[in-house]
Amino acid sequence: MDYFKKIVAFIGLILLVITTSQCASSKKIKTKLPLELGQVYYQWTSGDDSRGSKKSLYIPVISNENAISLDSVYFQGQVAKIERINESLFTGQFKTNASPKPDLIMSSDPHEEYGNTFQKAKQADDIPFDLNNTQCVISYKEDNKTSYFMIEGVIKK
């Protein structure tokens, strides 16, 4: 009986180590950014039928003494690469689907519905952060290491 208790305790210890080691691999959001930013904002731009509309998030940089390289931005359930407009302004472009939704044939005869395609559900697992509509997370590289910083109070212009 004593041998059985030791085995159960050993297995429990192994399970505890495995479950807590997963926490170390999760993305850590830093509280202090090594560069100074202005007011982050976004705007909607509508295009023609072939291009759709897009949401542009603007990140004004006041000072970047450490030459931090901005990589991606996570905002309102989407992710986009950050592009440089000029020395003090960066942007992330979030595009919407421009193509119209296809017509579906709904019938009690399954042969008439042949050719309908399933729409893919949006994958919430693609965004590793739980954000509200006025928060965004910026990924940046510092000393070849990727880090993350959350920005609160993103406004719409």
Side-chain angles (χ1 to χ4, degrees):
M1 188 68 169
D2 190 38
Y3 181 71
F4 181 71
K5 287 181 182 179
K6 287 182 181 180
I7 291 176
V8 170
F10 181 71
I11 291 173
L13 181 63
I14 289 175
L15 289 174
L16 180 67
V17 169
I18 290 172
T19 57
T20 57
S21 67
Q22 295 298 324
C23 296
S25 67
S26 65
K27 295 181 181 352
K28 304 274 190 221
I29 297 178
K30 292 193 174 185
T31 57
K32 185 173 183 194
L33 189 63
L35 54 94
E36 187 179 351
L37 299 179
Q39 175 64 53
V40 177
Y41 63 95
Y42 71 98
Q43 291 178 329
W44 278 98
T45 307
S46 61
D48 60 14
D49 290 339
S50 65
R51 291 185 298 160
S53 62
K54 66 180 178 179
K55 178 175 31 177
S56 300
L57 182 86
Y58 295 97
I59 306 163
V61 176
I62 295 171
S63 71
N64 188 2
E65 295 175 5
N66 297 336
I68 302 300
S69 173
L70 301 179
D71 183 50
S72 301
V73 61
Y74 300 86
F75 182 61
Q76 294 183 349
Q78 295 178 307
V79 62
K81 283 289 189 189
I82 295 177
E83 301 169 2
R84 171 181 270 177
I85 294 177
N86 58 40
E87 285 296 317
S88 62
L89 188 62
F90 294 82
T91 185
Q93 306 286 326
F94 302 95
K95 295 182 180 174
T96 61
N97 188 5
S99 61
K101 293 183 180 180
D103 289 335
L104 294 178
I105 299 171
M106 302 299 288
S107 174
S108 60
D109 182 11
H111 296 288
E112 290 180 17
E113 292 185 3
Y114 179 77
N116 286 348
T117 57
F118 290 106
Q119 294 179 356
K120 290 185 176 181
K122 183 178 175 183
Q123 298 292 326
D125 297 336
D126 294 344
I127 308 299
F129 308 104
D130 185 26
L131 304 171
N132 65 32
N133 285 339
T134 62
Q135 295 174 326
C136 72
V137 171
I138 294 177
S139 71
Y140 62 95
K141 297 196 181 207
E142 183 177 28
D143 300 329
N144 292 329
K145 182 181 175 187
T146 302
S147 300
Y148 301 90
F149 178 75
M150 181 182 291
I151 297 175
E152 305 268 351
V154 176
I155 60 171
K156 180 179 180 181
K157 284 193 176 182

